[in-house]
Amino acid sequence: MKSRYSIFSLMRNALSYHEKWPEAWRSPEPKPSYDVIIVGGGGHGLATAYYLAKLHGIHNVAVIERGWLGGGNTGRNTTIVRSNYLWDESAALYEHALKLWEGMSQELNYNVMFSQRGVMNLAHNQHDLRELSRRINANRLNGVDSEFLTPQQIKDLVPIIDLRGNGRYPVLGASMQRRGGTARHDAVAWGYARRADEQGVDIIQECPVHGFEIENGKVVGVQTAKGLIKAKKVGVVVAGHSSVMAEMAGIRLPLVSHPLQALVSEPVKPVIDTVVMSNAIHAYISQSDKGELVIGAGVDKYVGYGQRGSLPVTEETLAAVCELFPSLKRMRMMRQWGGIVDTCPDASPIISKTPVEGFFINCGWGTGGFKATPGSGWVFADTIANDRPHPLNEAFSLERFNSGYLVDEHGAAAVAH
Amino acid sequence: MLEINCPYCGPRFETEFSYGGEAHIERPKDSENLTDEQWGDYVFMNSNTKGVFLERWVHTSGCRRWFNVARDTVSYQILAVYETGAKPPKLDLRNDV
Amino acid sequence: MPARFRLTQGGLIDRSKPVSFQFNGKVYLGFEGDTLASALIANGVHLVGRSFKYHRPRGIMSAGAEEANALIQVGEGARSDPNLRATQIELVDGLVASSQNCWPSVEFDVSIVNNFASRLLPSGFYYKTFMWPASFWMTYESAIRKAAGLGKAPEGPDPDSYDKTFAHCDVLVVGAGPSGLTAALSAGRAGARVILAEQDNALGGDLLSEADAEIQGQPALEWVEGARAELEGLENVRILTRTQCYGYFDHNFIGLMQNLTDHLPQNAKPASLPRHRLWKLRAKQVLLATGAIERPLVFSDNDRPGIMLASACRTYVNRYGVKPGKKAVIFTNNDGAYAAALDLHKAGIHVAAIVDLRSDPEGPMTEQAREAGLRILGNHAVIATAGDKRVKAVLVAPLSEDGEKVYGGGEKIDCDLVAVSGGWNPTVHLHSQSRGKIVFDDDYACFVPGTPAQESVTAGACSGNFGLGACLTQGHDAGIATAAKTGFKAKGRKRAPPKAEDRNFLPARWMWLVPGDKPLGHGGKHFVDVQNDVTAADLHLALREGYRSIEHVKRYTTTGMGTDQGKTSNVNAIGIVAGHFGCPIPNVGVTTFRPPYTPVTFGVFAGRDVGDLLDPVRKTPMHALHEHAGAAFEDVGQWKRPWYFPIAGEDMHQAVNREVKACRDSLGVMDASTLGKIDIQGKDAAEFLNRIYTNAWSQLKVGACRYGLMLGEDGMVMDDGVTSRLGENHFLMTTTTGNAAPVLGHLEEYLQTEWPELEVYLTSVTEQFATISLAGPNARNLLAELTDIDLSAEAFPFMTLREGTAAGIPARVFRISFTGDLSYEINVPASYGAALWQTVMTAGEKYGITPYGTEAMHVLRAEKGFIIVGQETDGSVTPFDLGMDWIVSKKKDFVGRRSLFRADMSKDDRKQLVGLLTDVPEQVLPEGAQLVEKVEDKPPMKMLGHVTSSYHSPNVGRSIAMALIKGGRARMGSKLYAPLADGKVVTCTVTGVVFYDKEGERTRG
């Protein structure tokens, strides 16, 4: 390991005025060819590259990013991590990811500040309660921690909540995953980048992809702003731009890209210690370590590649927040932004081989990709390395949209995030 | 907040409308004879275009009529509005991205 | 007695109106027209807060929206506001304000220890540590969280109200400085509908801070007064002061926040006014005249209280009549700060020196300064500052030619005020939010607006035009041009723009990082972002570690991520990064400008859409009667439905049992008005239903009813309900309560976009009819008393409808049943719903008529194995999964049909609907319980499916349940187990779904 981060290295470097810290990763020019090229330098892509090298011995790997690492949804999400999904297939995938989160800071030797402060999903009516019970039971039997909280237990954990919800959206209960929580999103990208680089992976930023070289149904290279780069295999993991990239390889996807909006308040002293999500009223909220309230809003309904959100969505979300937390009405929105989320008809991802040999795609994470980052990279690396899906992502094939075996998370769970 | 020019009511705020996704995807009349893949393509696949996109909107809080819109999905500029069933107008794509 | 630092005259304050306020527990006096910042300075208070990370003492650095230091907690309890900028808080009698982020006090803050340990806390230190032992992160984090944050959130529900409004205009002018005013005047005179929005409480912009500017030969503020009077006289012009244009969205849609009462004492706030109002504005043209913000110089220890922007010094002296210090040092790279020096000098403040980075500044401004006897130190830099809670001296040294080094130990100059100017940044935020590009101007070393992306223009300092005369002209011309674009041509003789002098400024010397006498980071801190304590050394560290993109630098160091969003720091940071790479600034690029320009209250986005108005509550015409009867209600979509009707002393279970029994034994009555009702007419109505529903409709006789199942194109059950044929070309469809609107939308979509050739008309009539459902063996007996319709089984068989009267009210009576008992649903015009209900209740007394709610209905239909869409289905269930093959026509196409024949749809292990009976009859399975074939010692366990519905059934005399189980129909008679959260396991047996009256005789009788 080139330079281990620790309190001791911090002290040592303090003596030399922090002038001796090495680069966290190199910025090399691309080689003429690679065994694997990962298109997309977000958390998922960087994790894929890292696991390809670390677990599958494939070190001749490049990650190609059109802008800066983590500049897409990795750096734009509300950092919630949980695994309490309804269907067995989803629960297994996200739980695998959660286990990786639990050791990530140590694995990467980079503090990603994964904080298991708990994630709560509120129920506001009898239907919500029924669905909550179904999900809690399914989670439990899948080995995913999940419990029911009574309104009083909710109030004890989040004293600023108004359980009456003004009568319109009363809080009748919640599911709680205590192992869920939040993490520092940028650090995930940087931590994986640093470790992948250490494993020999070339990270190439500011290098847009213009097309793919395909010969006899097999991918052989990637056309980029820095010229043609040959590759034996290509993995595309570019979230909102998946349809655009796939089209370059002649593949159609069932995705719709929407702008998803988030916002933060000005920083204040701690007022909320867990993550509170309410699907019925389209709001979820947590507080960052810096003190900002981090609020996730809904998507704009139309296809949009602009990384910005519209005012009606802000209004709807903040009205809901003010309703649940009437004391936060005087807080102020400090910054608002949007990311482009690629939503799938069944609200589940696609981690799959494609009709083009050697061309793999990982997309469709919709509004919930961040939490899957390590697991997504892990199974994608395995799928690329072995040319077949890992059992954890077998159900998430592109094929399912023909056969009908959908993993319908929004139809089933009262949670679409 | 987009301003959408409903062909029947005139310009209105986006919040009066609902979205219907990609336009000009015709429902197959002979679904019997389609393969699973062809049918799956109709039901689920779409072009999700970055750039000028032909899409459907309905004036939910107004006349409740469906119509088509040509909109740039990056700048969100609306280039044309036309009736359901009509052919897309010829567009000046200089603003394309 | 006037405050110590109040000038004896001048300023725009009202000296006849003293205002008393509290800061950190001490009472002070100011005047009306003061901000909290100016009043504090008048009282000699400069130490107002502590910084985010190092807890260094901080003062007031600006006089406007860009303030990054002086963040104040205002008010107490539920009306407490954190993080307000002292520079924008209008002083109001009784104001209570305090410093933030310090303990025990701003004067003595124990966390200052962070400052001494700062060597260990460079940017990103937290990414490198707190990892051992792994389980300790939450402990470390808890301490970090407590230390972070700035102010405190309010402590109770906000008692104030907020409002929103829509508006349209031809020309929106943002900013009422010189260019904004001439723009509004010329657009207004042309007749365009103009809105002029100004964040300040007065018009004039920078002119409010000028001592002796002149326009058209008169004092500038007199001209401003004239402009205001003229604008107010124009009917087509609306002026909004205290209104921040915070966001520029697509299609020229603008968000503005207007502050209506914050500047009034609590007892003088009119009850009729909301606190803040959100303006949602669509403008045909937007004219941005948002001015510019001065930027500081980055030099060693440039953060001490008493170090402020030169322009702010002018504002304090000229607008507020206060002395920001007694002895000032000016530190500048441009001519602009000389005006500040002269104004300070005139106000009687001793200007000890003007330290100018330029080597030989010689021009009109330097001449004036020399004439005033001021000492100019050209080619010099401030290389260090001293003072703890207030700056008390600076160290000044000559610069090397390349500006990389300083010579000598420096000269110490005592002072209590350092006025700094590093040039100006046009306020391009809104232009950039509108997706307009910004470009770098080498002459002024700042970003200026490039080509607009929407219907907007910029004018004045915001466009990089800094002279007063030029601003007036540009605003004037832009006003004419934008008005013309909206169809308002200026009439009559062309008016000339007002005239004013443009000062001739010497070129500046751009230096992003002022060297000190030590290498960067070796002592002394060059602050770039004072709020987040980010120094130039931090930026260099980030670059050294490979965080090269400006976005990485920002995120790694947190520069520009404070409440000010980098208004004074971002461009300096970019300059320092460019300097490090030795590349031109445009190569570094900029971070994205995001809304809002300044923070916006959450409450204003909610407006009045809270409480009862958050979401409509829908009530049936009989709602008041149900309330009177003591019903408990359940929310179903937006509807309030009676859930059960407890009588004295009953709990829910007892009430439901009684209701369920009554429906089987004698007579129950239910309000079914919430079911969706869609009137379908036209010659192709039957064909339309054929295509929408899975079953066939052409042969349905007039007067007959049929149950239908509707699928999505993916083959999954979407909705169900009974549709009746009222005439040859006339149907009435019912939908589930929650799906009424989506189903109508679904029908309209297919009708208009896929089958426009069909002549069909759809009308939602849900709210036009009230529906009362009578159920039970006495249903016919009761109804017979009330109607003229022949109710005999022969004349009015099951699954038909008749029109007639009920209790004298025109009615449609449907003989359909969701309970499985003899049942009639009576539709009457909604306004008669309550009357019919009351009549039925009275007439039914002899049968012990029992109103029942949704819970009893659920039990009754479960006894019969009827599904509820959304409970037995979840978007992943086909008709075959439900065992409803009988309803799927093989002869015709319908929406979703092809999907039913995909490869995975016929698999044996699909989840299928079955009944469950617990081994212990009294035991009721919890809904949502998961079922397994084999109970393991601990999870994971292989699940087969879940309980969708489960009740105690008094009619069956035991518990009953329905479940979706993998391969369920092949498991009849086999045992399944439900391991519950409390460790108990419920054993049950798979059965069919019909538990009661399997032959259906009761319904048909």
Side-chain angles (χ1 to χ4, degrees), chain A residues 4-7 10-11 14-15 17-19 21-25 27 68-69 75-76 87-88 105-106 109-111 113-117 125-127 130-131 133-134 137-138 140-143 166-170 184-187 190 205 265-273 287-292 295 307-309 311 314-315 318-319 322-323 326-338 402-405 408 411-412, chain C residues 52 78-79 81-84 101 119-120 122 126-132 134 137-138 141 145-151 153-154 156-158 160 162 164 246 250 253 275 280 435 521-522 532 541 544-545 547-549 551-552 554-556 561-563 565 594-596 599-603 605-606 609-611 614-617 634-635 638 643 870-871 874-875 902-905 911 927-930 939-941 943 946 979-981:
Chain A
R4 207 178 150 70
Y5 290 160
S6 71
I7 183 71
L10 198 63
M11 278 156 54
L15 296 176
Y17 302 98
H18 301 287
E19 284 167 1
W21 286 110
E23 280 187 327
W25 58 83
S27 296
W68 38 281
L69 295 186
R76 293 167 189 273
W87 299 109
D88 299 348
S105 291
Q106 287 69 35
N109 179 233
Y110 203 105
N111 189 354
M113 303 182 201
F114 177 49
S115 171
Q116 295 181 294
R117 51 188 59 261
N125 56 41
Q126 298 304 317
H127 178 77
R130 229 174 352 247
E131 291 300 321
S133 157
R134 178 184 178 192
N137 280 311
R140 226 168 21 82
L141 297 187
N142 268 322
N166 246 325
R168 191 67 193 88
Y169 285 102
R184 174 83 185 98
H185 54 12
D186 291 327
W190 300 339
Q205 300 184 71
S265 74
E266 295 180 312
V268 286
K269 297 293 175 192
V271 286
I272 187 163
D273 264 344
Q287 188 170 15
S288 74
D289 285 349
K290 212 182 154 200
E292 299 145 339
I295 294 172
Q307 290 175 319
R308 56 189 189 275
L311 182 59
T314 319
E315 289 178 273
L318 287 178
C322 290
E323 189 74 359
S327 64
L328 297 183
K329 249 172 143 180
R330 293 178 94 86
M331 290 294 296
R332 289 170 192 245
M333 175 173 87
M334 181 172 87
R335 189 175 170 89
Q336 169 207 13
W337 66 93
N402 302 332
S403 69
Y405 190 83
D408 199 342
Chain C
F52 190 81
R79 278 208 173 91
D81 290 296
N83 305 332
L84 295 185
N101 204 34
R119 283 273 287 279
L120 283 174
Y126 30 76
Y127 298 128
K128 294 176 177 141
T129 181
F130 300 126
M131 289 183 273
W132 296 270
W137 164 242
M138 293 285 285
E141 190 190 32
R145 285 171 80 85
K146 285 201 187 90
L150 287 168
D158 187 354
D160 289 337
Y162 300 85
K164 306 189 216 183
Y246 78 85
D250 293 302
F253 185 70
R275 179 179 178 224
K280 301 191 274 183
R435 291 182 306 101
H522 288 230
N532 279 346
L541 172 63
R544 199 178 301 129
E545 290 196 81
Y547 301 89
R548 300 159 75 93
S549 152
E551 284 284 354
H552 282 163
K554 172 183 149 186
R555 286 158 180 261
Y556 191 66
M561 294 179 80
T563 59
Q565 293 283 290
R594 296 278 181 196
V600 181
T601 327
F602 282 8
F605 292 104
D609 302 337
V610 286
L614 176 67
D615 196 19
V617 172
E634 137 175 72
D635 288 335
Q638 293 171 327
W643 190 13
Q871 190 160 338
D874 60 8
R902 291 173 297 171
D904 283 337
M905 291 298 110
K911 288 186 179 167
E927 287 175 352
Q930 297 282 337
M941 294 180 222
M943 286 170 270
H946 76 288
L980 305 182

Side-chain angles (χ1 to χ4, degrees), chain C residues 952-966:
Chain C
H952 171 75
S953 162
N955 297 310
V956 184
R958 55 157 301 136
S959 73
I960 56 170
M962 289 196 268
L964 283 165
I965 299 293
K966 279 185 186 165

Side-chain angles (χ1 to χ4, degrees), chain C residues 847-926:
Chain C
Y847 304 113
I849 190 167
T850 303
Y852 66 99
T854 50
E855 190 65 20
M857 174 187 82
H858 286 189
V859 179
L860 290 161
R861 62 89 204 179
E863 289 174 348
K864 291 291 298 172
F866 297 150
I867 63 155
I868 288 183
V869 169
Q871 190 160 338
E872 271 66 51
T873 72
D874 60 8
S876 70
V877 177
T878 70
F880 302 148
D881 298 337
L882 295 171
M884 295 171 75
D885 310 38
W886 53 270
I887 204 171
V888 179
S889 165
K890 307 211 166 31
K891 295 186 188 138
K892 56 156 188 136
D893 191 23
F894 54 84
V895 175
R897 183 186 172 280
R898 177 63 184 82
S899 286
L900 296 176
F901 301 97
R902 291 173 297 171
D904 283 337
M905 291 298 110
S906 49
K907 283 196 171 165
D908 294 337
D909 68 344
R910 283 191 64 82
K911 288 186 179 167
Q912 295 165 339
L913 188 69
V914 294
L916 293 179
L917 290 174
T918 49
D919 283 8
V920 181
E922 295 76 43
Q923 206 164 19
V924 181
L925 278 161

Side-chain angles (χ1 to χ4, degrees), chain C residues 263-311:
Chain C
H263 60 289
L264 301 173
Q266 192 56 42
N267 56 14
K269 295 183 203 279
S272 60
L273 279 186
R275 179 179 178 224
H276 297 158
R277 178 181 287 142
L278 176 69
W279 287 74
K280 301 191 274 183
L281 175 68
R282 180 92 62 194
K284 286 186 185 155
Q285 292 286 320
V286 174
L287 204 158
L288 299 172
T290 47
I293 293 172
E294 193 167 26
R295 64 177 176 242
L297 288 164
V298 179
F299 56 101
S300 185
D301 290 332
N302 54 342
D303 66 324
R304 301 189 196 281
I307 299 178
M308 61 171 74
L309 294 169
S311 58

